[in-house]
Amino acid sequence: EVQLVESGGGLLQPGGSLRLSCAASGFTFSSYAMSWVRQAPGKGLGWVSKISNSGGTTYYADSVKGRFTISRDNSKNTLYLQMNSLRAEDTAVYYCAKASDYGDFFDYWGQGTLVTVSS
Amino acid sequence: DIQMTQSPSSLSASVGDRVTITCRASQGISNSLAWYQQKPGKAPKLLLYAASRLKSGVPSRFSGSGSGTDYTLTISSLQPEDFATYYCQQYYSTPQTFGQGTKVEIK
């Protein structure tokens, strides 16, 4: 059974930093691209970042480019999102999501972790 | 970036109704479209991909169609467990972009 379990969310002040983790199991982690998707309270879904299966290629939404860094450790089956210079508008539930065999959509999602940026 | 516009943003329907949600892309996406269902407090779940392919285990009352820029999700006979928010997503190009969502509520 595929499982994605996020952790690392919390409450922090603007300008702060946080690292999210996503522990994967039930599939060959190193074979799949992974993404982070976020959802602000009461709002829709927004793609944040993607990393190739090897970790060699990364992509970012313009809103987080230069502030967030996606990475992965295939030996630990874990995906990361390093978030720096956080802003109030980064407040959201952050989901990790697994890319499908059939295209760059998401066939499995984690339960999400809440990041709140507030003074 | 490709913009995805869903309509309606919300709808009220009764159990047994046929429901259709539309999604329009700002440019052609060659059927690279997925649909997700999200219930309050839960992660989204994949329903369909490639515009019309049902994910294994998803009830057959869900179907998708479309081409080019215009796509639809149809629920043939709405069930109580289908009341949720539905999102389309294009994966033709990065950044993958989502529609703003359609909330399906009980009439």
Side-chain angles (χ1 to χ4, degrees):
Chain A
E1 178 193 6
V2 171
Q3 284 201 319
L4 298 170
V5 180
E6 300 95 336
S7 60
L11 170 63
L12 63 162
Q13 294 187 338
S17 296
L18 202 62
R19 188 176 83 157
L20 306 182
S21 299
C22 171
S25 61
F27 65 103
T28 305
F29 181 71
S30 59
S31 295
Y32 292 92
M34 297 291 294
S35 287
W36 289 97
V37 178
R38 68 184 179 183
Q39 187 169 36
K43 303 297 184 181
L45 301 169
W47 174 81
V48 174
S49 183
K50 179 176 72 173
I51 188 167
S52 64
N53 64 312
S54 67
T57 305
T58 58
Y59 304 86
Y60 298 93
D62 287 345
S63 57
V64 307
K65 202 172 295 183
R67 300 188 298 122
F68 290 11
T69 302
I70 191 171
S71 62
R72 64 192 296 160
D73 185 336
N74 285 345
S75 68
K76 295 182 178 178
N77 290 348
T78 302
L79 175 72
Y80 302 102
L81 185 68
Q82 178 66 43
M83 310 165 67
N84 298 332
S85 302
L86 281 160
R87 306 167 179 168
E89 55 265 35
D90 296 318
T91 294
V93 173
Y94 285 75
Y95 296 101
C96 66
K98 172 188 167 292
S100 166
D101 283 319
Y102 304 107
D104 213 1
F105 56 92
F106 310 123
D107 54 1
Y108 291 95
W109 299 62
Q111 86 288 351
T113 188
L114 176 62
V115 174
T116 304
V117 184
S118 174
S119 55
Chain B
D1 298 359
I2 297 175
Q3 307 303 314
M4 305 300 291
T5 304
Q6 264 181 258
S7 62
S9 55
S10 65
L11 64 90
S12 296
S14 301
V15 172
D17 283 354
R18 182 181 182 89
V19 168
T20 298
I21 299 168
T22 65
C23 188
R24 173 166 288 176
S26 59
Q27 64 184 75
I29 57 172
S30 298
N31 288 4
S32 298
L33 186 94
W35 289 97
Y36 301 91
Q37 177 193 67
Q38 187 180 34
K39 296 183 179 179
K42 300 294 187 180
K45 290 185 176 180
L46 177 68
L47 297 176
L48 297 105
Y49 62 96
S52 61
R53 296 191 177 185
L54 209 61
K55 181 185 177 182
S56 177
V58 173
S60 59
R61 63 180 178 273
F62 292 93
S63 64
S65 64
S67 63
T69 61
D70 295 330
Y71 299 86
T72 61
L73 170 68
T74 299
I75 309 172
S76 60
S77 177
L78 199 64
Q79 298 302 299
E81 60 268 30
D82 301 336
F83 291 96
T85 300
Y86 294 84
Y87 294 92
C88 62
Q89 178 217 357
Q90 67 80 19
Y91 54 95
Y92 180 76
S93 67
T94 299
Q96 298 101 314
T97 42
F98 293 89
Q100 78 275 23
T102 296
K103 187 174 184 178
V104 177
E105 300 175 299
I106 301 172
K107 182 182 284 185

